[in-house]
């Protein structure tokens, strides 16, 4: 399917304490949209939608000032900090009301904004979802590169359909976002949800840049927490792994029991103190880990059954 009609594009950018980089991001984003409009690739009604995720600095004030100076800018402000995924979802669901195409990207512009041109081309050629995928991770630290690659491989091992080296830089059609709205889960992991939606998809490769200013909003602790949410939200394989481990320990205990009885019948004395102590601590540790992992899943079930809203919009500049 080749799309020839003009389309309204909304660029959705979640922001959390981004006052240092926001003005530069806004200028570069505006230049990109204006160039696409000039080339008749998108509609003149296209906009840049900033999502203020409960920032404590002047982020929302800057967004309001930008929207007052130029109608290409708009924004929403959440009632509190809900996390990157919830802020992104709020932006996508808001943009869905007005746009035919939505592209999400981070406020630090580490994602290559020039890759948007190719995304639009692939959309016009029929793709409903276009994933921005990093060409390499050479610019990352050893820790981040190793943990990120291990995460993607582990998710694949668990049976989760996830695009390798893709974060949240992607193009989605209105049709895709309408289906995304049907996913009612509270514990959202958008990188795993989009492949579940289906429809025709494509990939654009790009080189990730250095952050221009400010600090990353994903330190190691949040990165690991985010990865853990992704694993436990999309696969029950860890629980099955515990079951398999339990079976192995049971078989090992049977072998140890047979050995112990044989030694007893032969009348040999066995000190056994070290072995017993190690066994007790090992089994106790495995039990605690297993209970904790199962508790994590039960906690997610508890969160889902409450069915609380994933975000609350405090202010919406689209309605002013």
């Amino acid at each position: 399917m080749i799309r020839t009609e003009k389309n309204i594009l909304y660029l959705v950018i979640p922001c959390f304490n981004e006052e240092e980089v926001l003005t530069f991001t806004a200028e570069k984003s505006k230049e990109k949209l204006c160039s696409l409009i000039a080339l008749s690739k998108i509609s003149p009604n296209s906009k840049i939608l900033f999502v203020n995720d409960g920032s404590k600095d002047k982020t929302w004030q800057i967004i309001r000032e930008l929207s007052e100076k130029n109608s290409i800018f708009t924004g929403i402000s959440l009632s509190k900090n809900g996390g990157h995924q919830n802020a992104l979802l709020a932006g996508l669901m808001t943009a869905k009301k007005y746009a035919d195409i939505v592209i999400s990207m981070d406020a630090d512009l580490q994602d290559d904004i020039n890759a948007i041109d190719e995304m639009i081309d692939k959309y016009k050629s029929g793709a409903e979802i276009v994933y921005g995928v990093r060409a390499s991770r050479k610019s990352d630290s050893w820790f981040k590169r190793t943990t990120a690659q291990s995460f993607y491989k582990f998710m694949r091992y668990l049976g989760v359909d996830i695009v390798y080296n893709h974060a949240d830089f992607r193009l989605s059609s209105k049709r895709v976002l309408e289906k995304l709205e049907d996913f009612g889960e509270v514990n959202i992991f958008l990188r795993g949800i989009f492949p579940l939606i289906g429809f025709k998809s494509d990939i654009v490769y790009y080189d990730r840049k250095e952050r221009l200013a400010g600090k990353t909003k994903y330190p190691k602790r949040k990165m690991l927490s985010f990865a853990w949410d992704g694993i436990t939200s999309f696969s029950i394989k860890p629980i099955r792994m515990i079951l398999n481990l339990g079976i192995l320990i049971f078989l090992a205990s049977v072998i140890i029991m047979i050995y112990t009885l044989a030694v007893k019948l032969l009348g040999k004395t066995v000190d056994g103190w070290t072995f017993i102590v190690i066994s007790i601590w090992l089994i106790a540790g495995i039990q605690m880990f297993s209970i904790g992992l199962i508790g994590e899943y039960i906690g997610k079930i508890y969160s889902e059954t409450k069915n609380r809203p994933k975000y609350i919009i405090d202010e919406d500049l689209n309605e002013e």
Side-chain angles (χ1 to χ4, degrees), residues 42-234:
I42 59 174
S43 167
N45 296 322
S46 299
K47 291 180 180 290
I48 300 159
L49 172 65
F50 292 107
V51 182
N52 177 40
D53 185 20
S55 299
K56 303 299 182 184
D57 60 5
K58 296 180 180 179
T59 294
W60 181 238
Q61 179 183 330
I62 295 172
I63 294 171
R64 289 194 68 95
E65 290 172 355
L66 287 168
S67 68
E68 290 168 2
K69 292 177 182 177
N70 195 322
S71 61
I72 200 171
F73 298 111
T74 186
I76 59 173
S77 182
L78 305 187
S79 60
K80 68 180 186 64
N81 177 247
H84 180 270
Q85 295 292 281
N86 287 323
L88 179 53
L89 182 65
L92 294 176
M93 292 300 100
T94 300
K96 174 180 66 67
K97 302 173 188 176
Y98 313 100
D100 302 301
I101 324 163
V102 177
I103 296 179
S104 58
M105 64 186 303
D106 291 338
D108 54 20
L109 283 190
Q110 286 187 276
D111 299 322
D112 186 5
I113 198 167
N114 292 316
I116 290 177
D117 297 67
E118 190 177 353
M119 286 182 166
I120 299 294
D121 291 339
K122 289 184 180 292
Y123 166 77
K124 287 183 176 290
S125 297
E128 300 280 355
I129 306 173
V130 183
Y131 299 101
V133 175
R134 296 180 61 173
S136 71
R137 286 187 168 270
K138 293 179 181 179
S139 59
D140 286 349
S141 64
W142 176 88
F143 176 83
K144 188 171 183 179
R145 181 169 59 252
T146 303
T147 53
Q149 291 175 342
S150 299
F151 168 70
Y152 286 111
K153 289 176 182 176
F154 188 58
M155 290 291 279
R156 285 288 182 88
Y157 168 74
L158 294 178
V160 181
D161 186 11
I162 189 170
V163 179
Y164 193 74
N165 276 341
H166 164 68
D168 287 300
F169 183 31
R170 75 177 71 83
L171 176 149
S172 310
S173 68
K174 186 184 188 75
R175 184 182 177 208
V176 168
L177 295 179
E178 287 172 346
K179 299 304 178 184
L180 175 62
E181 195 172 19
D182 294 336
F183 286 76
E185 57 226 66
V186 174
N187 300 289
I188 58 171
F189 181 68
L190 293 173
R191 300 178 199 183
I193 291 177
F194 272 93
L196 293 178
I197 297 174
F199 299 133
K200 183 179 178 181
S201 63
D202 210 329
I203 288 174
V204 168
Y205 292 96
Y206 71 97
D207 292 316
R208 192 167 170 84
K209 301 175 182 179
E210 293 293 328
R211 186 179 176 89
L212 293 170
K215 296 180 180 178
T216 176
K217 302 307 180 293
Y218 263 102
K220 292 181 178 65
R221 178 181 59 81
K222 280 192 175 182
M223 231 171 37
L224 294 173
S225 175
F226 180 65
W228 180 248
D229 282 341
I231 291 168
T232 54
S233 294
F234 278 84

Side-chain angles (χ1 to χ4, degrees), residues 255-287:
I255 294 170
I256 293 169
M257 181 181 68
I258 293 170
Y259 169 77
T260 305
L261 289 173
V263 171
K264 180 73 174 177
L265 292 173
L266 291 172
K268 295 182 180 180
T269 57
V270 179
D271 294 331
W273 182 85
T274 303
F275 178 77
I276 291 171
V277 170
I278 292 173
S279 299
I280 291 172
W281 279 95
L282 177 63
I283 293 173
I286 292 172
Q287 286 178 333

Side-chain angles (χ1 to χ4, degrees), residues 10-24:
Y10 266 51
L11 189 60
V12 173
I13 305 177
C15 305
F16 177 64
N17 294 341
E18 297 287 2
E19 65 176 2
E20 294 179 76
V21 73
L22 193 54
T23 303
F24 179 82

